[in-house]
């Protein structure tokens, strides 16, 4: 209809500056500040106070051109710090459900100082003049582009009076002198020295370097985090450890394992590299970049423990000891008092030991009690063993011992106490099995897996530990084997990967393994065989086994589409209530049944009801924490992505009757139950779109920011940044919108996303009055939204002829040749008419009149359109 007008080429976005992942330290002057914000001027230090209380741990490190501070608690008050002034003017704050992320663009990597204050932390960026020699110490100059390899200077000698006294490196490693000396010797040093630095070896062992005193005053240096290797793991000791969690690196998307500290620890001095992971320099806390998925970080009272969980783990720490082939020489057999004997013989020995215990003198009672507990445990009397050990005085470790579990003389007692408590149902009494020291003993990986099973820990990691120890359990004496092996087999059959399932082949015979055997048949696609087996098990004399079979058969039939979701939900409800002759599900099976009911409700289109069922459920042996979280995630997905129901083959349900406001409220309540990660990021993007639809632009911007922080894929992050820009514009936050657009970069950005980004950038330019820039950005945008905005820009500048060309193209697409017009089409037709009249483009106005062919634009617009037509010269009107 109207010819296309070519405009200027699209303006390319500026490239992101590259940074260096190196940290420097400088002396810290004590600073007291009771409020959030910056202080200082252009000629002095610039400081940012972070109001994190004593219970909040932090980690601080470089990520490309940005300095990152992560707190392990959500601190909404930090949102007020976004967009500061001075060196911190680019600060953005993202508050997650379980953490707070601060991102400060500092492409030149200036020297930064971080100190613990009475009510928080002080982050300082000194001016170059303040980095000169002062009080006997010399601070480092900024690293610039090539400073990553600079050695760290001595850290602060003067911190806040409320900060704990620094612990020297020698004291931190006193418990591992022998290991430190051996590792140091292997690195070419005969003995540890204050100036030596040993990085991680090929087996993953590490000893962090010690910082030497510097300057004429000989001031003492602040301690740093010294990695302590042990067989199978590396401990990063922290005086007051915070929490551990995962986040993608904002610059690269790499998987970061982060451990925070609640007090000043000095951070990690230098980068260290090993197989499958690397340790980054930090100003505070521990940050590990994990290349292998099997690398995990575990929190303990002594600090963060890094190890690998896999059937074929990469080497972390020192080499594990060679496995002992003779059972009687293995530590679990020795410490538990196990022996190859019949159940009758073991029971007789138990009674004999109990009889001896009743007659011994007080001096001999402790040893006799331990021997009786061993005999009770070996015979399967786990509750009796736990009772005996509870009555036996617990030995206190020496004051110099790192922990009870770390004392060789106490390990048999601790191991037997924990294992007896675990099998007696006392999970709290079994917590010692979660200690990292057991990683060094391959015989006890099985027991760590059993603890994970009963504690409801991550199913994939637990299944690996159980599968690796399944053959070991099969060689235990019958009373112990029959207690743990069927539960292990059931867990692996339910949650294990194909690789872990193969570790059980062939599955032992006997009724104890009928339930896991049926689940494995279902996984292999033998649906009818599995159904018959489960039907038979519902009549089992074992009430727990029968209850599990009743729940599992409903899940099997639903997964095979043998029953509809509403019917499955009805059956689950009856199982929970014990209707139709079935006894109510036992307490320890109710969680499994309730989660099955929630999934049935989700598939039936009732996510609100599903969330009600899930409320209050806790992880258990049958429903690990990640499986419970997946149920929450599925319910929230149904609420957020309701429009995808048909494409997913799901029936329409009652959630379609919920308003957008009701749906967003339900999602907000359920989000804390979903762990951070890519799946939650996808959920947050959909949630943010719902919020935009409901007109809550500020809350939507928060959701998009959270999604970006959890997303590792560059393209997905770019999409999140573009959505954040949209929300920020709706919330009239132009600076945030521009920052999001600057961050929206991806090596392989799809054309549609690039077009949306250009359109958003043009809108920001328009809002700032930069019309020419906006037009240049839209030069190649032929989308409806792009043409609409270009038309608005031309109309605002009274460039009517250009406006007619752009709006005319839009009208040629949007106005049908016949039939009634919608309200949007009427408005578009009248807009073209007014633009044409203003441009005195009578030809376009005449063609529009013919195209409309008498169709109404509405009473008022019809009258105005008639007036416009009367303005046409007779020659144009008769044309």
């Amino acid at each position: 209809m109207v010819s296309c007008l070519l405009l200027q080429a699209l303006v390319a976005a500026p490239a992101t500056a590259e940074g260096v992942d190196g940290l420097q330290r400088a002396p810290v002057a004590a600073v007291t500040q009771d409020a959030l914000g910056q202080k200082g001027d252009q000629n002095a230090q610039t400081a940012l106070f972070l109001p994190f209380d004593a219970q909040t741990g932090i980690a601080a490190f470089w990520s490309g051109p940005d300095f990152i501070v992560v707190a392990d608690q959500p601190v909404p008050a930090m949102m007020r710090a976004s967009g500061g002034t001075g060196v911190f003017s680019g600060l953005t704050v993202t508050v997650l459900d379980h953490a707070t992320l601060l991102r400060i663009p500092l492409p030149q990597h200036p020297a930064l100082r971080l100190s613990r204050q009475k009510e928080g932390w002080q982050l300082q960026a000194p001016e170059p003049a303040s980095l000169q020699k002062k009080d006997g110490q010399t601070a480092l100059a900024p690293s610039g582009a090539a400073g990553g390899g600079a050695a760290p200077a001595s850290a602060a000698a003067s911190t806040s009076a409320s900060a704990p006294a620094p612990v020297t490196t020698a004291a931190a490693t006193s418990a591992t002198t022998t290991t430190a000396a051996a590792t140091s010797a292997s690195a070419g040093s005969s003995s540890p020295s204050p100036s030596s630095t040993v990085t991680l070896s090929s087996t993953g062992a590490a000893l962090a370097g010690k910082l030497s005193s510097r300057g004429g005053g000989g001031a003492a240096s602040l301690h740093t985090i010294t990695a302590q290797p042990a067989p199978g793991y590396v401990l990063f000791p922290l005086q007051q450890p915070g929490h551990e969690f995962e986040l993608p690196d904002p610059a690269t998307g790499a998987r970061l394992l982060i451990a925070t500290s609640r007090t000043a620890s000095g951070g990690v001095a230098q980068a260290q590299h090993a197989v499958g992971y690397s340790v980054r320099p930090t100003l505070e806390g521990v940050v590990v970049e994990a290349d292998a998925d099997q690398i995990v970080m575990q929190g303990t009272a002594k600090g963060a423990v890094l190890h690998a969980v896999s059937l074929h783990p990469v080497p972390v720490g020192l080499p594990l000891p060679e496995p002992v082939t003779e059972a009687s020489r293995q530590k679990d057999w020795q410490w538990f008092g196990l022996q190859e004997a019949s159940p009758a013989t073991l029971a007789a020995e138990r009674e004999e030991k109990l009889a001896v215990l009743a007659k011994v003198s007080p001096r001999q009672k402790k040893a006799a009690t331990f021997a009786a507990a061993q005999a009770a445990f070996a015979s399967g009397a786990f509750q009796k063993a736990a009772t005996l050990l509870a009555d036996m005085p617990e030995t206190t470790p020496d004051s110099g011992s790192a922990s009870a579990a770390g004392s060789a003389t106490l390990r048999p007692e601790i191991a037997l106490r924990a294992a007896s408590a675990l099998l007696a149902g006392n999970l709290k009494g079994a917590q010692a099995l979660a200690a990292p020291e057991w990683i060094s003993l391959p015989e006890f990986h099985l027991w760590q897996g059993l603890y994970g099973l009963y504690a409801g820990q991550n199913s994939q990691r637990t299944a690996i530990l159980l599968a690796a120890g399944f053959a070991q359990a099969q060689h235990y004496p019958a009373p112990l084997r029959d207690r743990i092996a069927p539960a292990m087999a059931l867990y692996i059959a339910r949650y294990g990967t194909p690789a872990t399932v193969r570790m059980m082949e062939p599955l032992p015979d006997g009724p104890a393994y009928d339930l896991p055997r049926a689940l494995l048949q279902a996984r292999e696609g033998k649906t009818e065989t599995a159904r018959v087996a489960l039907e038979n098990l519902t009549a089992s004399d074992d009430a727990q086994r029968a209850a599990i079979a009743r729940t599992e058969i409903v899940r099997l039939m639903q997964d095979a589409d043998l029953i509809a979701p509403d019917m499955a939900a009805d059956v689950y409800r009856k199982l929970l209530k014990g209707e139709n002759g079935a006894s109510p599900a036992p307490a320890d099976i109710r969680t499994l049944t309730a989660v099955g009911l929630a999934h049935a409700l989700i598939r039936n289109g009732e996510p609100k009801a599903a969330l009600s069922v899930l409320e209050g459920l806790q992880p258990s042996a049958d429903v690990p924490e990640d499986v419970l979280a997946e149920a929450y995630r599925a319910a929230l997905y149904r609420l957020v992505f309701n429009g995808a129901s048909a494409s997913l083959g799901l029936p329409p349900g009652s959630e379609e009757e919920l308003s957008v406001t009701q749906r967003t409220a339900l999602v907000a309540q359920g989000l804390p139950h979903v762990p951070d990660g890519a799946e939650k990021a996808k959920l947050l993007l959909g949630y943010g779109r719902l919020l935009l639809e409901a007109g809550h632009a500020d809350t939507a911007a928060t959701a998009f920011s959270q999604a970006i922080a959890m997303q590792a894929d560059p393209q997905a992050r770019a999409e999140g940044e573009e959505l954040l820009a949209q929300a920020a514009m709706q919330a009239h936050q132009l600076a945030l919108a521009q920052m999001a657009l600057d961050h929206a970069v991806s090596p392989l950005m799809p054309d549609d996303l690039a077009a949306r980004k250009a359109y958003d950038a043009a809108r920001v330019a328009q809002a700032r009055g930069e019309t020419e820039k906006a037009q240049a950005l839209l030069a190649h945008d032929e989308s409806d939204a792009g043409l609409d905005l270009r038309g608005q820009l031309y109309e605002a500048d009274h460039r009517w002829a250009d406006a007619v060309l752009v709006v005319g193209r839009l009208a040629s697409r949007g106005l049908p040749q016949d039939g009634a017009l919608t309200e949007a089409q009427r408005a578009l037709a009248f807009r073209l008419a007014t633009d044409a009249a203003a441009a005195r483009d009578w030809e376009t106005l005449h063609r529009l009149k013919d195209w409309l062919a008498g169709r109404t634009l509405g009473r008022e617009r019809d009258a105005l359109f008639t007036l416009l037509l009367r303005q046409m010269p007779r020659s144009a009107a008769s044309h």
Side-chain angles (χ1 to χ4, degrees), residues 208-302:
K210 303 180 179 74
L211 297 180
S212 60
S213 298
R214 302 180 64 128
S221 62
L222 182 70
H223 66 287
T224 56
I225 300 173
T226 305
Q228 298 179 358
Y233 70 93
V234 174
L235 170 66
F236 296 92
L238 294 168
Q239 189 176 22
Q240 292 190 30
H243 299 290
E244 299 72 34
F245 50 92
E246 295 183 16
L247 276 178
D249 180 19
T252 66
R255 175 174 172 246
L256 300 183
L257 308 179
I258 301 173
T260 62
S261 175
R262 289 183 287 155
T263 59
S265 69
V268 175
Q270 292 183 342
Q272 302 162 346
H273 303 278
V275 178
Y277 69 95
S278 59
V279 183
R280 290 194 177 186
T282 66
L283 207 58
E284 192 55 69
V286 179
V287 177
V288 174
E289 181 175 329
D291 301 320
D293 291 340
Q294 59 179 268
I295 300 293
V296 297
M297 186 176 284
Q298 172 186 348
T300 71
K302 295 192 297 179

Side-chain angles (χ1 to χ4, degrees), residues 331 334-335 370 395 397-398 401-415 437-438 441:
K331 288 184 172 61
Q334 294 175 354
W335 296 353
F370 187 72
T395 305
D398 297 334
S401 175
S403 69
S407 175
T409 58
L410 296 181
R411 276 186 165 184
E413 178 183 322
I414 294 169
E437 287 83 358
W438 303 111
L441 298 175

